């Protein structure tokens, strides 16, 4: 773990096409990689305050999975928030690695020149690739990710906002059948993917040319470097158009082709969408599933079969959405309804399901004890027959028989049918809300949200009808 405020150890490549060896760069080998893709523009205060706890949970989960976190390394935008999140963790944080072109960042104690940005001081390692434009470092970046993950560990991307360079990065990342977690509600490309419309080509040419010399433009492009960091392989920079061809037409053609590829890969790839309002726990749950998987494993693990044998100490299962939030990619008109149902109905549904599972586990435990008491009754009866002159087998026989009878009666009423009924009613309410026609305006949407909250409160607290 780096010491806060000391700055990263700078490793320089002699050539952009140089072979990457993890140990030579001071990087670990055979580790999962988690890349944070995000916008480099300064986030609003409210959005930054909402994103920071999520990034804190992301880093804590990565540390627990012994993963390496890759960012753009520069102290701007989402990468700046990653540094803040790491510094605010009480325990150890994961290895933070930034990859950038040497001509775009001010390394060590050097003052930033025009078009340069500082490296984030809370990163552990900064890999600088020879180059003066954002994007020239990408081939080396992909090789570095390959060197860290090796053939047996996964690489997951987390998208927070993002722009046009992030769009190109996701094409490369998803094209390698790697998982992507989209944090909806953060704007930019993340919201485009969450709404099911990732193929919106830009109209302005500068968005596709991340080598402007101004500090703002450099910062905007820098955040996009983080968005390319998990992809393996190499991606050529957008070629300059010939003199006889209008630059705008070539750039827009390349962007349109990239958008089409992204739309296909998002729909066919391993993509999970979690809204910012759904909290850090849900993001951490996805990260734990992916970072613990072997390469090529599905993003959403299959639901395990229910355990038949009861547990002496009941542990509540982790909350999970009733339907996969990724379905908004195929059904964008349901995005608002899915989000509202996950916010209002899903927590209470999980509470009722946990109560029903706890009662079922208790009932099963009582049944097992009753079976054990019945077995003891049989054993003591055999002993009584064998030891006819001994009174103690008969005493134990009576005690075990009575215990078996009592446990059987208690186990019969051990489950909580009210919780099961409430859970089923809430599940039906969840899908009824999705089946309703889309709201025509914000007023109708707000009215439906209030009605949904009222219905949830009624089903949660009113007595269950047995008719």
């Amino acid at each position: 773990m780096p010491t806060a405020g000391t700055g990263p150890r700078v490793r320089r490549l002699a050539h952009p096409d140089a072979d990457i060896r993890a140990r030579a760069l001071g990087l670990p080998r055979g580790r999962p990689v988690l890349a944070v893709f995000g916008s480099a523009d300064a986030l609003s205060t409210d959005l930054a305050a909402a994103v920071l706890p999520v990034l804190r949970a992301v880093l804590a989960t990565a540390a627990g999975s012994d993963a390496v976190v890759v960012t753009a390394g520069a102290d701007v935008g989402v990468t700046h928030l990653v540094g803040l999140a790491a510094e605010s963790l009480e325990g150890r944080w994961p290895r933070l690695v930034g990859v950038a072109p040497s001509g775009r960042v001010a390394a060590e104690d050097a003052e930033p020149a025009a078009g340069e940005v500082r490296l984030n001081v809370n990163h552990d390692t900064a890999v600088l690739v020879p180059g003066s434009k954002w994007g020239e470092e990408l081939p080396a970046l992909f090789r570095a990710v390959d060197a860290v993950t090796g053939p047996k560990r996964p690489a997951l991307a987390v998208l927070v906002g993002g722009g046009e360079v992030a769009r190109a990065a996701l094409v490369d990342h998803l094209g390698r059948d790697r998982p992507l977690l989209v944090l909806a509600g953060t704007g930019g490309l993340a919201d485009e993917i969450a709404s099911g419309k990732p193929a919106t080509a830009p109209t302005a040419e500068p968005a596709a040319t991340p080598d402007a010399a101004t500090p703002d433009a450099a910062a905007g492009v820098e955040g996009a470097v983080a968005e390319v960091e998990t992809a393996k392989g190499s991606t050529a920079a957008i070629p300059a158009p010939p003199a006889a061809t209008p630059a705008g037409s070539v750039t827009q053609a390349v962007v349109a082709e990239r958008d089409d590829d992204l739309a296909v890969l998002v729909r066919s790839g391993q993509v999970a969408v979690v809204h910012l309002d759904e909290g850090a726990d849900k993001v951490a749950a996805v990260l734990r599933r992916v970072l613990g998987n072997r390469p090529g494993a599905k993003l959403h693990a299959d639901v395990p079969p229910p355990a038949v044998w009861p547990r002496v100490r009941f542990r509540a299962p982790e909350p999970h959405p009733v339907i996969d939030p990724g379905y908004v990619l195929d059904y964008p008109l349901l995005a608002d309804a899915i989000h509202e149902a996950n916010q209002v109905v899903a927590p209470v549904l999980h509470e009722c399901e946990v109560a029903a599972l706890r009662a079922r586990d208790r009932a099963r435990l009582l049944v097992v004890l009753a079976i054990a008491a019945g077995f003891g009754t049989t054993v003591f009866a055999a002993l009584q027959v064998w030891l006819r002159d001994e009174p103690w087998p008969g005493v134990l026989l009576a005690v075990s028989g009575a215990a078996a009878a009592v446990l059987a009666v208690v186990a019969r009423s051990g489950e909580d049918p009210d919780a099961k009924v409430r859970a089923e009613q809430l599940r039906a309410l969840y899908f009824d809300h999705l089946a309703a026609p889309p709201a025509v305006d914000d007023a109708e949407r707000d009215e439906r949200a209030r009605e949904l909250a009222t219905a949830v409160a009624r089903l949660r607290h009113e007595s269950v009808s047995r008719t």
Side-chain angles (χ1 to χ4, degrees), residues 273-434:
V273 178
V274 178
H275 199 279
L276 186 62
D277 293 341
E278 294 178 280
D281 291 341
K282 187 167 294 185
V283 174
V286 175
L287 297 184
R288 282 192 294 270
R289 286 199 300 268
V290 176
L291 296 179
N293 282 341
R294 59 188 182 277
K298 293 182 179 180
L299 178 60
H300 301 286
D302 296 333
V303 178
V308 176
W309 191 260
R311 297 180 179 179
V312 177
R313 182 180 178 184
F314 177 78
R315 293 179 176 83
E318 292 184 356
H320 59 276
V322 180
I323 63 173
D324 188 342
Y327 277 114
V328 300
L329 302 175
D330 296 318
Y331 306 100
L333 294 179
L334 293 178
D336 290 336
I338 291 176
H339 175 61
E340 292 168 356
N342 284 339
Q343 285 290 103
V344 180
V345 183
V348 181
L349 173 59
H350 177 70
E351 177 185 325
C352 293
E353 288 179 337
V354 168
L357 289 174
R358 180 179 287 108
R360 187 190 67 180
D361 192 76
R362 183 171 58 249
R364 288 180 175 178
L365 182 60
L366 292 173
V367 169
V368 171
L369 294 176
I371 293 173
F375 178 76
T377 302
T378 304
V379 172
F380 295 138
L383 286 175
Q384 183 65 71
V385 172
W386 183 30
L387 305 173
R388 294 182 180 181
D389 297 333
E390 297 291 336
W392 61 267
V395 175
L396 295 178
L397 171 64
V399 172
S400 61
V406 171
L407 290 171
V409 172
V410 175
R412 186 177 303 173
S413 58
E415 296 194 15
D416 187 355
D418 288 354
K420 294 174 63 176
V421 172
R422 285 194 176 96
E424 292 303 322
Q425 290 175 341
L426 287 167
R427 190 177 296 274
L429 177 64
Y430 185 102
F431 287 101
D432 286 344
H433 183 70
L434 300 188

Side-chain angles (χ1 to χ4, degrees), residues 208-271:
T209 54
D211 53 353
T214 63
D216 290 342
V221 174
E222 193 285 332
V225 175
E227 300 157 3
V228 196
E229 289 161 342
T230 36
K232 292 182 180 178
S234 62
T235 300
I238 298 176
T245 306
S249 62
V250 173
T251 302
Q252 292 181 1
V254 172
V255 170
E257 181 180 357
R258 186 176 64 215
D259 289 342
D260 292 339
D261 292 341
L262 179 61
V264 173
L265 290 170
V266 163
R267 292 182 181 274
S268 61
Q270 303 180 52
V271 180

